[in-house]
Amino acid sequence: MRQLVAGNWKMNGSCRQAATLAEALRGEAGLACDLLVCPPFTLIDRVAGLLLHTPVAVGGQDCHAQAQGAHTGDISAEMLAELGCSAVIVGHSERRQDHGETDAEVQAKVRAAVRAGLTPIVCVGETQAQRDAGQEVAVVRGQLAASLPHDFAGVVAYEPIWAIGTGRTPTSDDVETVHRHVRAALVERLGQGGRSVRILYGGSVKPDNAAELLRVPEVGGALVGGASLSADSFLAIARAAA
Ligand code: PEP
C-alpha cells in the first residue's frame, strides 16, 4: 500500500501564500506516496482549483456531523466534497481540546464524512501525563473503540499530543508499539478489513526525522503540521516515504 503524506495547514495561510504553496506542489511528479493537503476552509476552493488534475488531493480539517442546518460557523462534509475535497481530518487533538469534542462526536463526524463520500482521517493520541503514566496504549485503544463506527473505512492518525508542534517525537520503538496496537484494534473491530487501513504517524515530523519514522512497521504515512507549510520541507518528507 502506498504511504500517505498529509499536510494539516491548521489556521495558517493567506490567499497568496496558499497559491504559492499549491503551485510548488503541483509541479512535483513521480512521488512514491500519495499527497494530501488540508488548508483552512477559506482557502480550500482556491487550493482545490490549483491542484485540480494533479495527483495532490485536498481535504478539510474538520466537518460538522449534520449535512446542513442552524450551526453557525460550521462546515458540513457535503460542503467540503462540493469544493473538491476527498478527505477530512476528524478528532484532531486541537479540536478535542479547543472545542471539547468527544469520541461520540468524532464518530458522528466520521459517519458524516463517509455519507459525503470523503475519507475520514481519525486522529487519536495520548497526553504527556498519560504517556508518563504508561497509559498510551489504553488511551488510544479507548479512543478508537469509541470514535470508529463498526464499518469504518478510512485512515487513522496516531498523534501523541505531546509531540504536536513541540519538536519532540517518540522513539521508533514507541511508535511501532502503538501502531501495532492500533492495527490489532482495527482487526479486532473490522476483521480483515482492518488490515488495509492506513495508520499515519503525526507529531513533529520533519525532513530530518521523516525517513526513520516512515520506516517503522505499520506506519502508513505521516500527518504533518508545521512542516507542511513550506513546499520544500513537505516535499522532502514526501520523498522520504516508501
Ligand atoms: C498536527 O497537528 O497534526 C501535527 C502533526 O503538527 P506538527 O507536525 O506541527 O507537530
Side-chain angles (χ1 to χ4, degrees), residues 64 66-76 79:
H64 196 276
Q66 304 297 321
Q68 74 277 312
H71 303 289
T72 303
D74 282 314
I75 304 288
S76 71
M79 291 168 171

Side-chain angles (χ1 to χ4, degrees), residues 29 60 78 93 96 98 118 125 150 187:
E78 283 75 3
S93 60
R96 292 178 187 261
D98 297 355
L118 303 179
H150 282 281
V187 172

Side-chain angles (χ1 to χ4, degrees), residues 6-8 10 89 92-94 123 157-161 163-169 201-206 222-228 237:
N8 174 11
K10 309 193 184 189
I89 299 169
H92 190 281
S93 60
E94 288 154 12
C123 300
Y158 168 54
E159 297 207 303
I161 296 170
I164 294 179
T166 60
R168 296 162 54 218
T169 55
Y201 167 77
S204 292
V205 179
K206 308 285 178 207
L223 181 53
V224 184
S228 71
I237 292 167

Side-chain angles (χ1 to χ4, degrees), residues 4 9 14-15 17 20 40 43 56 74 85 92 95 103 109 111 121 131 137 147 160 166 179 193 230 232-233 242:
L4 168 65
W9 295 4
S14 63
C15 288
Q17 287 166 332
T20 305
L43 299 174
V56 187
D74 282 314
C85 288
H92 190 281
R95 300 287 316 172
D103 288 329
K109 291 180 179 205
R111 293 182 191 282
I121 302 175
R131 161 72 59 164
V137 168
S147 306
T166 60
H179 276 240
S230 137
D232 284 349
S233 55

Side-chain angles (χ1 to χ4, degrees), residues 5 12 17 27 48 57-58 63 89 95-96 105 110 132 141 152 166 169 179 183 205 217:
V5 174
N12 292 295
Q17 287 166 332
V58 179
C63 66
I89 299 169
R95 300 287 316 172
R96 292 178 187 261
E105 285 164 333
V110 171
D132 291 344
R141 275 186 169 265
F152 178 71
T166 60
T169 55
H179 276 240
R183 176 68 67 209
V205 179

Side-chain angles (χ1 to χ4, degrees), residues 11-59:
M11 197 172 71
N12 292 295
S14 63
C15 288
R16 211 165 56 134
Q17 287 166 332
T20 305
L21 191 43
E23 294 283 1
L25 297 180
R26 61 185 268 154
E28 188 69 19
L31 285 172
C33 67
D34 293 334
L35 267 196
L36 169 75
V37 292
C38 300
F41 292 132
T42 52
L43 299 174
I44 288 176
D45 196 23
R46 189 179 182 98
V47 170
L50 287 166
L51 294 177
L52 197 65
H53 307 310
T54 77
V56 187
V58 179

